[in-house]
Amino acid sequence: MGRIIAIDGPSGSGKSTAARGVARRLGYHYLDTGAMYRAAAVACLRAGLAADDRAAIVQTCRDLDLDLGADPDDPFVRLAGDDITAAIRQPAVSAWVSAVAVIPEARAELVRRQQAIIARGDFVLEGRDTTTVVAPQAQLRLLLAADPAERLRRRGLELGRAGQTLNQDQLRDQVIRRDRDDSTLVDFQQAAPGVRWLDSTNLTAQAVQDQIIAWAGQADLTAGRAWRPAPDRLFDPSVPDG
Ligand code: DC
């Protein structure tokens, strides 16, 4: 195993910004595990599956042909060669993704792929079960927290930048309802033993990254890291490279 920094946290806690910034600054690969759940939801939606068709959702996860960018500056997502980087952020996908995330067999398949990916190098990975299930062995694990009002504000800003305008009810549905649904299987709002807790409510993105990098230094994760590793793409571990 390479060096691993795993970041958990609910929607709007700033985990993507933190994970990408830290990966960029330390020259680590980046893996957004949530993007894999979203890609699975896109595949299910494209196949016209019903949200309660658990067997078909699990099979879709097993059949996923995914190609993910590991560069924190270009974390593209391709499904069977089709670029779905923007599509995975659409409201219809955000509304559907919990249907995938609540099925243990679907999670097991995605976790298996995530573990195969991070076995290939030094990674900052983000996502709700990364500190407990995907990479409990990570040298640095942390849970980012933020007050609900701040999380709603940030998610609203993020969606606004992506050209999506949601009213307060839709935003609440995306942030609060989804976190509640998702936490029925994975409790990502409490830090597990050994997981550092960082409240980002009143911190700038830079200050959050500075704190994580300081902890990474203490865990011996920064030595010699002034370079960007190759390759910058993650091939589906079930498909041979090249
Ligand atoms: O972080 P995000 O909003 O992109 O995550 C999308 C969905 O995937 C969300 O409903 C939670 C789920 N997810 C999960 O259950 N476990 C992960 N490791 C990552 C995401």
Side-chain angles (χ1 to χ4, degrees), residues 1-5 23 26-31 70 117-125 139 221 223-225 227 229-231 234:
M1 187 188 76
R3 293 182 272 194
I4 308 289
I5 298 173
L26 294 181
Y28 277 41
H29 295 298
Y30 166 70
L31 175 63
I117 289 170
I118 63 171
R120 299 174 154 208
D122 295 343
F123 273 89
V124 179
L125 78 158
Q139 293 90 344
L221 294 170
R225 300 311 308 216
W227 49 281
L234 297 173

Side-chain angles (χ1 to χ4, degrees), residues 15 33-34 37-38 89 97-98 101 107 127-129 178 182:
K15 51 178 193 304
T33 59
Y37 286 84
R38 289 172 176 274
R89 306 288 162 198
V97 65
S98 291
R107 300 194 68 84
R128 291 160 171 72
D129 59 352
R178 201 149 54 83
D182 293 340

